[in-house]
Amino acid sequence: MNNLRVRARVVDVVNLTDQIYRLRLACDEFTTAQPGQFVNVSVPGFFLRRPLAIADIESNHDGSVILTVIVAKVGAGTRALADVVPGSEVEVLGPLGNGFDLDSIGQTPVLVGGGSGIPPLYYAAKVITARGGRPHVLLGFRSAGDTYSIEEFRQLGCEVSVATEDGSMGSAGYVTAVLPPQTEQVLACGPQGMLKSVVAQASGRIQVSLEAHMGCGFGACLGCTVHTVRGLERVCLEGPVFESTDVIFAKEEA
C-alpha cells in the first residue's frame, strides 16, 4: 500500500494515565488507512522515528486530517514525544504495514486488547460500528489506575468488559478471564503472551496484531522478524496483523 511522508502540526497532548498519553496531529495530506496499520513519527532530538499504531483518523474543519496515536512512555523517545508543544511540527510516515481484514468479519466480533495494544482496536471498533456492527471489546489492564479509553469504546456503542490483574476494576485476572468460550471472529492486540493465551482459549478466526521492536518501520533493517509457518517475516511489513494460524509463538511466552 502507498505511504506518504508529511509534516504534521501538533494539535494537543493529553495524559490519559501516568504512563499513557494521547497525541493528536493535523496532517494536510494523509492517505486512507486500515485499522491495525501504524505510522512512524519523528521525535525532536532523536534520529529514529517511533512506530505508533493509528488510534483514530478524523476530518478537521480546515480540510486537514486529524491523526490520533496513543503512546506509552516506554523509553526516552516516547517520553520526549510527550513534551512536544501544540503548534510545533513533527514528520509522519505512513500508513505502514498491513491492518485487520474487516471486510470478511461478522457484525459482532470480539476485540481483545491489553495495555498499549488497545489503541488500534479503537479505530477498528469505530469502523465496525459505522458499518452497523456491535463489537464486544475486552480490555485488560494491570490496575484501575492504568485504565483508559473505556468510555470511548462505550460511546461507540460497543459492549465492553474490563479485567485488571489486581482486581481493582472489572474482573480480576488477565483479559482472557472475560473471553467468551465461543467466538466466530477475534481481533487481538497486545503482548505476545496475551495473544498466545487468546489463541489457546478462543475459537473461530483470530487476527493478531504483533508488537515488536521496529528500527525502520518498512522492512529494511530486519529487526522485527517473527517466526511464521512461511518462515521469518517482518512485523512492520508483512504484519503487524497476522492470522493466528500463521504465527509460531515463542515457547517461553506461554
Side-chain angles (χ1 to χ4, degrees):
M1 181 172 291
N2 295 330
N3 53 62
L4 187 67
R5 181 184 286 110
V6 299
R7 300 298 297 178
R9 300 180 302 279
V10 177
V11 177
D12 56 32
V13 183
V14 177
N15 288 320
L16 303 180
T17 73
D18 289 342
Q19 297 299 317
I20 302 286
Y21 61 93
R22 184 190 67 208
L23 173 63
R24 294 198 305 152
L25 303 169
C27 308
D28 290 333
E29 298 178 82
F30 195 80
T31 57
T32 301
Q34 296 174 291
Q37 288 188 294
F38 67 97
V39 291
N40 268 0
V41 179
S42 65
V43 182
F46 290 78
F47 175 70
L48 292 177
R49 300 180 183 88
R50 269 32 181 196
L52 302 169
I54 297 171
D56 198 9
I57 296 177
E58 304 170 277
S59 297
N60 199 13
H61 61 85
D62 62 1
S64 64
V65 171
I66 300 294
L67 171 69
T68 299
V69 292
I70 295 177
V71 191
K73 299 176 183 179
V74 295
T78 48
R79 291 181 185 279
L81 194 57
D83 295 328
V84 293
V85 179
S88 61
E89 288 192 346
V90 295
E91 188 176 75
V92 174
L93 177 64
L96 300 170
N98 290 298
F100 294 107
D101 173 16
L102 302 185
D103 293 333
S104 60
I105 67 172
Q107 295 291 86
T108 56
V110 175
L111 279 53
V112 186
S116 58
I118 291 170
L121 297 181
Y122 177 82
Y123 188 30
K126 183 178 179 180
V127 172
I128 294 167
T129 55
R131 296 177 178 180
R134 187 169 188 261
H136 183 186
V137 180
L138 317 181
L139 304 176
F141 306 93
R142 290 181 178 176
S143 68
D146 299 315
T147 61
Y148 66 94
S149 294
I150 296 172
E151 289 307 313
E152 285 80 356
F153 278 103
R154 287 179 174 149
Q155 288 169 10
L156 289 176
C158 303
E159 178 185 356
V160 179
S161 298
V162 176
T164 53
E165 294 178 26
D166 65 359
S168 54
M169 179 182 286
S171 300
Y174 297 121
V175 68
T176 47
V178 291
L179 182 65
Q182 297 296 323
T183 56
E184 292 186 1
Q185 298 278 350
V186 176
L187 312 181
C189 184
Q192 191 174 125
M194 184 208 84
L195 297 178
K196 187 173 182 178
S197 296
V198 169
V199 171
Q201 292 183 221
S203 57
R205 181 189 181 195
I206 306 170
Q207 298 180 57
V208 295
S209 179
L210 302 184
E211 297 177 348
H213 294 290
M214 300 180 191
C216 67
F218 44 83
C221 71
L222 304 178
C224 61
T225 54
V226 293
H227 291 278
T228 75
V229 295
R230 294 177 292 271
L232 290 175
E233 293 191 336
R234 296 155 293 186
V235 171
C236 70
L237 193 63
E238 284 81 29
V241 177
F242 293 86
E243 297 291 339
S244 64
T245 50
D246 290 342
V247 179
I248 301 173
F249 290 101
K251 293 181 179 179
E252 61 269 21
E253 293 291 340

